[in-house]
Amino acid sequence: MSKPVAGEGVTRSAVVQKSRAVRLTLIVAACCMVGLACAPRAIADETLIKKKFTHHAAVRGKAVAPVITEPDPAMLEPAAAPDCAFGGTMSNPATVEQTRAKLDYEAQCYRQAEAIVRERLGQLQDAAKKMIRAIRQRNLVISSR
């Protein structure tokens, strides 16, 4: 039995199937290229790899205890007191404008210091929530064995 020559005995559905296969191959290749372009970032982010590994193992039906990551030790260090002392020159006695400028500077400085401390606290709370969630998941995995 000989193979059909192009144009002989080739049905329209065979051509459509072949074009779909080619399109699918191109889409898969494009997705792989995008995935490879993102790979250096994913490799640098170790937690992303651990999450994906845990997820894929769970999808395959294996119970894998999640990795418990501790908060960054720098987040646990006490924050330094803000240095909001006015460094400008003041006359003796201070004028109303100088006093107003000094109080405005100090108020802005303390507001900015508070925003920094609140952001840091939020990051620490997020890290603690992730750690607690991982501990609970690990306990569930251990208790299910």
Side-chain angles (χ1 to χ4, degrees):
M1 189 166 173
S2 64
K3 294 182 180 178
V5 181
E8 289 182 22
V10 178
T11 63
R12 185 173 193 286
S13 64
V15 173
V16 170
Q17 285 179 345
K18 187 168 183 161
S19 71
R20 283 184 185 161
V22 170
R23 277 187 266 160
L24 181 62
T25 304
L26 290 174
I27 291 171
V28 169
C31 290
C32 289
M33 289 173 38
V34 169
L36 289 174
C38 297
R41 182 178 49 134
I43 290 170
D45 187 3
E46 194 174 291
T47 58
L48 180 62
I49 293 171
K50 288 178 184 175
K51 284 181 186 175
K52 286 190 178 199
F53 176 75
T54 303
H55 171 72
H56 291 305
V59 168
R60 286 186 302 231
K62 296 178 182 176
V64 175
V67 177
I68 299 173
T69 55
E70 295 179 1
D72 182 14
M75 283 196 272
L76 301 174
E77 294 294 320
D83 181 20
C84 293
F86 184 70
T89 57
M90 299 281 287
S91 62
N92 194 4
T95 63
V96 173
E97 290 83 22
Q98 290 174 335
T99 305
R100 188 174 292 138
K102 177 183 180 241
L103 293 174
D104 183 48
Y105 169 80
E106 290 173 350
Q108 286 181 12
C109 178
Y110 284 116
R111 267 196 301 271
Q112 190 175 32
E114 178 196 13
I116 291 168
V117 169
R118 283 185 183 274
E119 174 65 26
R120 189 172 164 189
L121 175 63
Q123 290 173 356
L124 183 59
Q125 287 173 333
D126 290 342
K129 287 176 188 174
K130 287 178 186 175
M131 192 170 74
I132 290 168
R133 193 176 313 125
I135 290 170
R136 287 182 180 157
Q137 287 176 353
R138 176 170 276 183
N139 290 342
L140 285 174
V141 168
I142 291 172
S143 66
S144 68
R145 289 182 181 172

